[in-house]
Amino acid sequence: MSHSIEDPLVRNRASSGTLSRIVDIDALRAVALLLILVVNIAYFASGYPFHLVADPAHDSWVDQAVQWLVEMLFTMKAYLLFSFLFGYSFTLQLDSAARRGVDLVPRFRRRLAGLFVLGILHAVLLFQGDILTTYALLGLVLLAMRRASAETALRAAVLLTAGIGFILALAATSGAQLVTDPAAALAAGQRSTEALQGGIGSVITEHVRQLPAMFGTLLVQGPLALSAFFFGYAAGRRRLLTDIAGNRPLLRRVQRLGYPIGLAGGVIFASGGGSANLTGLTVGVLTAPLLAAAYAATLLQFFQTDRGRRVAAVLAPAGRMSLSNYLGQSLLCVLVFTGIGLGLAGTVAPPVVVLIAVAIYSVQVAASAAWMARFRYGPTEWLLRAWTEQRWPRLRATDPA
C-alpha cells in the first residue's frame, strides 16, 4: 500500500576523480517512482482500498481488469525495488565515507532522523500510507549491519522473506481473515471517501484516524523492505550495478527465474484478492521479490543500449530528486482527489486514475530535468542534506559569476 523513498544524495567517483551520479541507478529509481505512483494513487482516488475492499462505484470489467493488472504487475514490487536501491546506495555512502576518512554513523543517524520527521509530516498532511518513518527505523538496522559480508546480508534477506511468508501461511491455514466483515468494510470505505472529499481538516482527520491500521500493514511491508535493503547491500558489496556488462549472465539468470515465478505469483496474488487475502498475500510475499529483481535486471540491461542510454538520461534527473518527487506525488494527488483541491475522490474510474498517474509522472520528469539543470539537489534533498551535514550546502549547480 505505502511505498518507500530512496536516499538521493549518493554519488560515485568517476575515473576523472570528480563525483558523478550513477545514471543507471538514478534512472532505475525514476522508473520505481512511476510504479509507486501507479499503485499509491488508488488510495488517493478512493477511501475503499484502505479498508481492503473495492469501490462498488467502479465495478465494470474494465475497472476490474485495470485493478487486477496493477496488483499483478506492480503491487508489492515497486517499493521492493526502491528498498533494494536504498540498501545498494548505503554501500556507496560507506565507500564515500571511507575515502574521505569520515565517520558515517552520526551523519547517517541524522539523515534517518530527518527522514522520520518528514515521514510523520507526510503521513499526517498528505498520505497516511507513508513508509518514510519505517525506512528511518529500518535504516538503523542497516547501519548496524554495515560491517557484514555480502553472504551474511543475503542469508538475512532470505530468512526474513521466508519467515514472513511462513507466518502468513500459518495464519492463512488457520482460517484467519483480513476482512472479517465485508459490509462493515464497505461502510467504512464510504466514510473514508466522504472524508477525503472534505476540506483540509477532514482530510487530516482521516489520515490520523487511519494511521493505526497502517501500522498493521507495515508489519508485513517492514520486514520485506528490510530484506530488500539486505539484498541491495549485498549487491553493493559485490559492485553488481557498476559492471552491468560483466554481470549480464547473472542478470539473465535473474530474468529467467524471476519472470515465470514472479508473474505466476502475481497472478495468484491478484486473483486471490490481493492484500485482502492471506493466501494470495503469502504467495505475493514469496514471489514479489523475484519479479522486482527481474524488472531491475531488464531495465539495467536496457540502459546499456543506445536507446536505453537516451531514456536513462531523460529519467535520471527525476531519480536524483526522488524524495522531492515522492512527496510531490502525494501533494499533487491531494490537490486532484481531495476536497482541498478538485475533490475527485470516489468519482474517477481506475483506468482514468492510472492515466492521471502517468500525467503527474510526466510533469515530474520534465520539471526534474529543468530543476536539476540549475541545481545540485532537489529542494527536499537539499534540506535533508543541510540537516545531515549541519550546514547549508551550495544549491546551485554552478558557482555564481
Side-chain angles (χ1 to χ4, degrees), residues 89-99 104 146 233 237:
S89 295
F90 177 67
T91 66
L92 302 184
Q93 294 178 70
L94 288 172
D95 292 344
S96 176
R99 285 194 302 268
L104 176 70
R146 64 189 181 276
Y233 176 90
R237 282 302 191 198

Side-chain angles (χ1 to χ4, degrees), residues 22 43 114 117 122 164 226-227 229 240 272 303 345 374 398:
I22 300 179
Y43 300 93
V117 172
H122 182 226
I164 191 65
L226 183 59
S227 71
F229 282 7
L240 180 63
F303 292 152
R374 299 181 60 191
T398 58

Side-chain angles (χ1 to χ4, degrees), residues 365-378:
V365 168
S368 297
W371 180 275
M372 296 309 300
R374 299 181 60 191
F375 301 105
R376 303 178 70 198
Y377 315 107

Side-chain angles (χ1 to χ4, degrees), residues 11-43:
R11 293 173 182 267
N12 189 40
R13 190 170 299 276
S15 58
S16 62
T18 60
L19 293 177
S20 65
R21 300 289 307 192
I22 300 179
V23 175
D24 292 344
I25 294 178
D26 289 333
L28 189 59
R29 189 176 295 120
V31 173
L33 271 174
L34 172 60
L35 305 188
I36 282 173
L37 178 57
V38 168
V39 175
N40 272 359
I41 196 169
Y43 300 93

